[in-house]
Amino acid sequence: MFMTKTILKNLLTKYATRLYPFQKRETFAHSRGELKIDMEKCILCGVCQMRCPSQCIKVDKQAKTWEVDPFSCVYCGVCVEACPVKCLYQEKLYRAAVAEKDMVMHVQQPKETAEPAAT
Amino acid sequence: MAKTVLPFGPQHPVLPEPLHLTLTIEDEIVKEAIPKLGYVHRGLEKLAEIRDHNQMIYIVERVCGICSCLHALCYCQGIESLMGLEVPSRAKYLRTIWSEMHRIHSHLLWLGLFADAFGFESLFMQFWRIRERVMDLQEETAGNRVILSVNQVGGVRRDISAESAQWILDTLKTVEKETLQLKSTILDDYTVKLRTVGKGVLTKEKAYELGAAGPTLRASGIAQDMRQTGYAAYSELDFAPVVETDGDCYARTTVRFNEIFQAIDLIRQAFSKLPEGELAVKPKGLPTGEVVSRVEQPRGECLYYIRGAGKKFLERVRIRTPTFANIPPLLDMLPGCDLADVPVLILTIDPCISCTER
Ligand code: SF4
Ligand code: SF4
């Protein structure tokens, strides 16, 4: 009989779990999630590539590309802190599951307003 | 009856991790146990040769998913003493707070798994429900739920704001209340006592002789806790090791249960004394020389040996984890117990095999 109280309480309180696909948890303001880049700002210096503990970033200065292997990224945020121009940022949510593995490649477009050639 | 040899693990419903024991049994009574390790060796120590000493922080964190923050802390302390860095005191306090959060979530996780080991599944759910609150605290303050990545050489990477501090204290109050509600279920229950009291006794002398660590050691009546050495901010906080004297499964459960409240109390103390100031100092130079660094993880004493030769890459990193120390005591406990008690006994040392094999 000592369980009656507990049973009644459990019947009257809310669920401890969420009905997931319909009801999603709010993300926290300071969570570290998927890594994104603002390619226009990147100066292709390669600091992020050097610092990344899982070595999943590849920066190619010649081809003007910045590439990350999202499956190796461990969301540590080291590259975000190291970037001198702060063009990297992390979403609040981790990357959604995908069916196929692929790299995320960004190519820097040549600037529209071409810098005046040094004379 | 003749002797039977029974392979236990590496895949076993009760084991979250691959530990293999070759049990020799006679009439369902264990006579001898021989362990076999090495199923999840990942060679993380070797990585020190190709990752520099700053990148290694994030690698040693991945030695163990449950005490990640403490692995990084132990490693950073070692590097800091090699470089002669003095960590700002706010960073020390924040490190203490995160360490204790880790202890709470690890012990709640263990209590849940332990309840599950003797078939008490609703209790398992209850403990994990409470644990989820602590995981939320970690995600909000550190950025990730499990692998916190808050330590860096010279200090910490993140601050805890005053509002977050208040929220943490409020949540801990709930955690404390909810855990207390479960106290009678895990510690006073007739069935639970039948499975734990007097089982797997490790005497004080044996515990000392075999080099047990952490709650396994303290449950046998030895008041030894690495936090007493006063790393991070522990020298300025007031606490005494949680000790039990019986050395059986019940005592080990009680120690872990009571350490949750000790950890909550330590976090409160740390917040009340939290000084203002810098979060980190800038490291200068490269690690040169050798050092042994120790911390108290939820499972016991963890030891890092680090040798640097003034280069970016370290010469050697050696990690001795608490489970490694607790395997000889486990082998001492097993002979003489019922086969049905083996899973419960194994769980009471809180084995973390990934840690042990690195
Ligand atoms: S550190 Fe920043 S600017 Fe440099 S290559 Fe990486 S993303 Fe670009
Ligand atoms: S978040 Fe960490 S692992 Fe991911 S790309 Fe940046 S540095 Fe590498």
Side-chain angles (χ1 to χ4, degrees):
Chain A
M1 271 298 104
F2 58 85
M3 284 205 30
T4 322
K5 219 174 99 202
T6 317
I7 294 174
L8 279 179
K9 218 174 91 203
N10 277 342
L11 282 177
L12 294 175
T13 45
K14 280 191 299 192
Y15 294 121
T17 48
R18 281 179 211 93
L19 294 167
Y20 171 62
F22 311 107
Q23 190 187 5
K24 287 189 180 146
R25 189 183 74 152
E26 275 181 48
T27 49
F28 291 105
H30 301 293
S31 302
R32 284 193 292 258
E34 186 179 355
L35 182 66
K36 288 280 173 69
I37 184 170
D38 179 355
M39 202 56 207
E40 291 312 306
K41 265 163 71 190
C42 176
I43 53 171
L44 300 164
C45 65
V47 171
C48 51
Q49 174 184 345
M50 232 160 56
R51 295 279 176 87
C52 170
S54 63
Q55 301 189 339
C56 58
I57 302 181
K58 227 186 262 146
V59 182
D60 191 334
K61 218 164 172 159
Q62 251 70 51
K64 287 193 184 302
T65 58
W66 181 94
E67 200 178 12
V68 65
D69 178 1
F71 296 92
S72 293
C73 174
V74 294
Y75 299 162
C76 63
V78 168
C79 52
V80 179
E81 277 172 30
C83 176
V85 292
K86 300 279 168 257
C87 63
L88 292 169
Y89 59 96
Q90 283 180 294
E91 297 283 355
K92 295 199 178 27
L93 203 64
Y94 47 83
R95 194 163 184 260
V98 288
E100 265 169 46
K101 278 198 176 187
D102 54 351
M103 303 281 277
V104 174
M105 159 100 77
H106 289 272
V107 185
Q108 197 165 45
Q109 300 303 325
K111 296 224 165 59
E112 297 270 306
T113 51
E115 281 153 34
T119 45
Chain B
M1 209 182 106
K3 281 190 182 152
T4 318
V5 174
L6 191 79
F8 185 93
Q11 302 288 333
H12 189 279
V14 79
L15 289 176
E17 293 186 59
L19 169 70
H20 174 90
L21 288 170
T22 309
L23 300 173
T24 311
I25 52 175
E26 214 179 293
D27 289 342
E28 301 253 319
I29 304 285
V30 178
K31 292 288 169 207
E32 197 191 9
I34 297 167
K36 194 156 133 201
L37 296 165
Y39 291 97
V40 279
H41 175 64
R42 293 160 289 164
L44 293 179
E45 291 174 357
K46 181 86 176 156
L47 271 179
E49 290 171 17
I50 51 164
R51 298 280 200 272
D52 71 32
H53 63 272
N54 282 321
Q55 293 174 331
M56 270 309 277
I57 304 172
Y58 306 97
I59 289 162
V60 295
E61 263 186 332
R62 283 162 176 83
V63 168
C64 178
I66 306 298
C67 15
S68 66
C69 170
L70 288 129
H71 273 285
L73 171 61
C74 192
Y75 174 82
C76 288
Q77 279 178 0
I79 299 285
E80 280 151 12
S81 74
L82 286 182
M83 290 183 170
L85 296 176
E86 181 54 42
V87 179
S89 69
R90 188 176 176 88
K92 285 188 177 172
Y93 272 87
L94 292 176
R95 282 175 170 186
T96 309
I97 291 166
W98 275 307
S99 304
E100 291 308 316
M101 270 189 212
H102 254 50
R103 199 174 315 278
I104 302 174
H105 102 75
S106 170
H107 282 344
L108 285 171
L109 172 125
W110 179 82
L111 285 163
L113 288 178
F114 186 57
D116 195 37
F118 49 71
F120 204 156
E121 269 183 37
S122 57
L123 189 57
F124 160 73
M125 301 280 185
Q126 295 286 347
F127 277 119
W128 280 46
R129 178 174 58 84
I130 305 174
R131 175 174 176 260
E132 204 52 36
R133 297 189 191 280
V134 187
M135 304 310 278
D136 282 352
L137 293 183
Q138 293 183 353
E139 179 166 0
E140 161 65 18
T141 55
N144 289 4
R145 274 161 58 88
V146 178
I147 311 267
L148 299 192
S149 301
V150 284
N151 287 293
Q152 65 179 16
V153 175
V156 288
R157 291 170 63 197
R158 289 212 173 185
D159 198 4
I160 297 183
S161 66
E163 299 121 64
S164 294
Q166 195 49 48
W167 175 60
I168 292 173
L169 290 173
D170 290 344
T171 313
L172 285 181
K173 214 178 270 168
T174 323
V175 170
E176 189 176 27
K177 197 178 105 219
E178 289 179 339
T179 316
L180 262 182
Q181 281 172 353
L182 297 182
K183 183 175 181 169
S184 60
T185 321
I186 184 104
L187 293 180
D188 300 335
D189 191 79
Y190 173 72
T191 336
V192 176
K193 277 188 162 173
L194 270 187
R195 295 298 304 267
T196 54
V197 175
K199 307 272 181 194
V201 178
L202 182 70
T203 59
K204 191 172 174 176
E205 292 72 32
K206 274 283 174 198
Y208 183 78
E209 215 175 275
L210 297 169
T216 314
L217 177 71
R218 291 194 283 280
S220 295
I222 300 179
Q224 194 183 329
D225 190 322
M226 276 314 120
R227 287 175 287 175
Q228 287 168 305
T229 57
Y231 67 88
Y234 288 111
S235 54
E236 292 157 41
L237 303 177
D238 181 29
F239 73 100
V242 179
V243 186
E244 287 288 322
T245 47
D246 295 341
D248 57 1
C249 292
Y250 185 74
R252 288 188 278 278
T253 314
T254 320
V255 167
R256 293 206 176 88
F257 192 82
N258 290 334
E259 275 187 7
I260 295 176
F261 300 104
Q262 183 192 39
I264 293 177
D265 179 51
L266 280 169
I267 296 182
R268 288 194 182 128
Q269 284 187 41
F271 272 125
S272 69
K273 290 186 181 167
L274 189 64
E276 291 298 324
E278 289 281 298
L279 289 181
V281 288
K282 227 178 154 35
K284 276 195 292 287
L286 290 164
T288 317
E290 53 182 355
V291 71
V292 167
S293 163
R294 304 192 292 179
V295 297
E296 180 77 16
Q297 287 186 340
R299 292 169 176 73
E301 176 194 352
C302 171
L303 184 149
Y304 270 64
Y305 166 80
I306 302 166
R307 190 169 73 216
K311 284 197 229 108
K312 233 168 82 184
F313 302 97
L314 296 168
E315 278 200 329
R316 180 81 172 107
V317 179
R318 166 86 176 98
I319 309 167
R320 204 290 318 255
T321 57
T323 305
F324 188 72
N326 278 333
I327 285 178
L330 172 69
L331 301 180
D332 182 67
M333 289 172 211
L334 285 173
C337 80
D338 256 357
L339 181 60
D341 284 332
V342 173
V344 176
L345 277 188
I346 293 179
L347 266 191
T348 56
I349 68 158
D350 199 355
C352 178
I353 306 302
S354 305
C355 258
T356 310
E357 297 171 1
R358 308 173 302 283

